[in-house]
Amino acid sequence: MARIYPLFSSSKGNSTFIGTEQGGILIDCGVSFKRLTAALEVNDLPLSAVKSVFITHEHSDHVAGLKMLTKKTGVTVYGQKRTLQRLCDTDKLSPESRIVEMPDKPILSADCEVSCFNTPHDTIQSCGYRIHTPDDKYCAVCTDLGHVTEEVDSALTGCRLVLIESNYDDYMLRTGNYPLYLKERILSQNGHLSNDDCAVQVKKLIERGTTHFILGHLSQDNNRPQIADRTVQGNLAEFTRGKDYLLGVAPVETRGAAVIF
């Protein structure tokens, strides 16, 4: 039975496990090896369950613990070509690591078929991942994008569950203490997805059949879980929560809960 474990989700660290106690894949490793292994333990997941790691991009909140993880386990790292090259150039991987560039077609790992799609973000290369699980269900992890492109929209369509970015509340960001250059970066087409833009995309996906949503990568300075939740739900007036869709917010750090989809 397919499960997704949002282990860490915020602007300070991100990592998601998809699979079971017997095996699965990790999307990003943006916290220390010690914190990652502790989070897995809280969820009754042995470290050996992590069969591979898929990296979305090279920002530290997605790769901070990657070198130690690869050193300790030798797990294979997948990613886009330029992302992997940057990780190698900046010493973010163990020299013994096996790295694999994502091909144009889905690859098989831990009995899951995994494909990537490009996301617009201010980095050398950035992507989200679409996963086809062994029990014939689709899910996607899609964060760190300034806007929803046609490619992103297409990749999310048809998924039963989507972990989607709801990074900031527009009012909190614009009136907050961040310097102007940082506000402009976040607000840009290559920045992050706002609660409002996330709400628009969630509605589109519900109309196409997606039923499970996890709001992720919330800014701890420019957002609150209750605000993100309220904003998205407020755009779904014609649907009934709990009947037409399920909606949750990924915790900053796991409390030991998985979503079955």
Side-chain angles (χ1 to χ4, degrees):
M1 185 176 293
R3 293 185 179 90
I4 183 168
Y5 298 79
L7 302 176
F8 297 91
S9 186
S10 74
S11 295
K12 297 180 180 178
N14 297 274
S15 189
T16 302
F17 180 82
I18 300 163
T20 67
E21 297 86 347
Q22 286 70 48
I25 66 172
L26 196 68
I27 308 293
D28 289 329
C29 185
V31 298
S32 70
F33 178 74
K34 181 178 180 180
R35 291 181 66 197
L36 175 68
T37 52
L40 291 170
E41 185 176 344
V42 167
N43 287 279
D44 296 320
L45 295 168
L47 182 59
S48 59
V50 178
K51 304 302 182 183
S52 53
V53 184
F54 291 79
I55 300 300
T56 59
H57 62 291
E58 81 276 11
H59 285 167
S60 62
D61 59 321
H62 294 262
V63 301
L66 186 59
K67 185 172 183 179
M68 186 58 68
L69 176 65
T70 53
K71 180 179 179 180
K72 292 285 189 179
T73 67
V75 67
T76 299
V77 178
Y78 293 87
Q80 293 177 298
K81 181 177 181 179
R82 285 179 289 169
T83 297
L84 293 175
Q85 186 59 59
R86 178 61 61 87
L87 293 177
C88 291
D89 293 344
T90 55
D91 194 32
K92 295 296 191 300
L93 292 164
S94 168
E96 294 78 26
S97 301
R98 179 174 179 257
I99 59 174
V100 179
E101 179 186 342
M102 287 297 297
D104 294 331
K105 60 183 179 180
I107 60 99
L108 186 66
S109 179
D111 295 325
C112 293
E113 290 184 351
V114 185
S115 57
C116 72
F117 52 92
N118 294 304
T119 52
H121 194 47
D122 58 348
T123 182
I124 191 169
Q125 201 168 16
S126 181
C127 70
Y129 288 98
R130 178 181 170 111
I131 301 98
H132 186 194
T133 64
D135 52 351
D136 197 29
K137 296 173 183 174
Y138 287 88
C139 68
V141 175
C142 180
T143 65
D144 298 80
L145 67 164
H147 67 287
V148 177
T149 63
E150 289 185 8
E151 181 178 354
V152 169
D153 184 58
S154 176
L156 301 184
T157 297
C159 289
R160 182 180 177 92
L161 177 147
V162 174
L163 192 162
I164 185 169
E165 180 170 59
S166 193
N167 182 256
Y168 65 92
D169 173 73
D170 191 76
Y171 178 80
M172 288 183 69
L173 176 62
R174 292 181 186 275
T175 60
N177 296 324
Y178 276 16
L180 180 59
Y181 81 89
L182 185 53
K183 291 181 180 181
E184 291 177 341
R185 173 191 161 228
I186 294 169
L187 288 162
S188 77
Q189 290 290 89
N190 293 314
H192 289 279
L193 206 64
S194 70
N195 293 340
D196 293 319
D197 290 337
C198 173
V200 171
Q201 184 61 27
V202 167
K203 182 178 180 180
K204 289 180 180 179
L205 292 172
I206 291 177
E207 291 170 343
R208 300 171 192 167
T210 301
T211 55
H212 293 56
F213 298 92
I214 301 173
L215 308 182
H217 208 289
L218 274 66
S219 168
Q220 291 168 280
D221 297 316
N222 302 305
N223 209 353
R224 297 291 182 270
Q226 61 271 29
I227 293 176
D229 184 287
R230 184 170 64 243
T231 302
V232 172
Q233 182 173 313
N235 196 48
L236 304 174
E238 63 265 52
F239 303 105
T240 302
R241 187 170 186 168
K243 177 181 178 182
D244 298 317
Y245 69 93
L246 299 175
L247 176 67
V249 178
V252 173
E253 184 166 350
T254 182
R255 296 182 291 272
V259 177
I260 300 172
F261 61 97

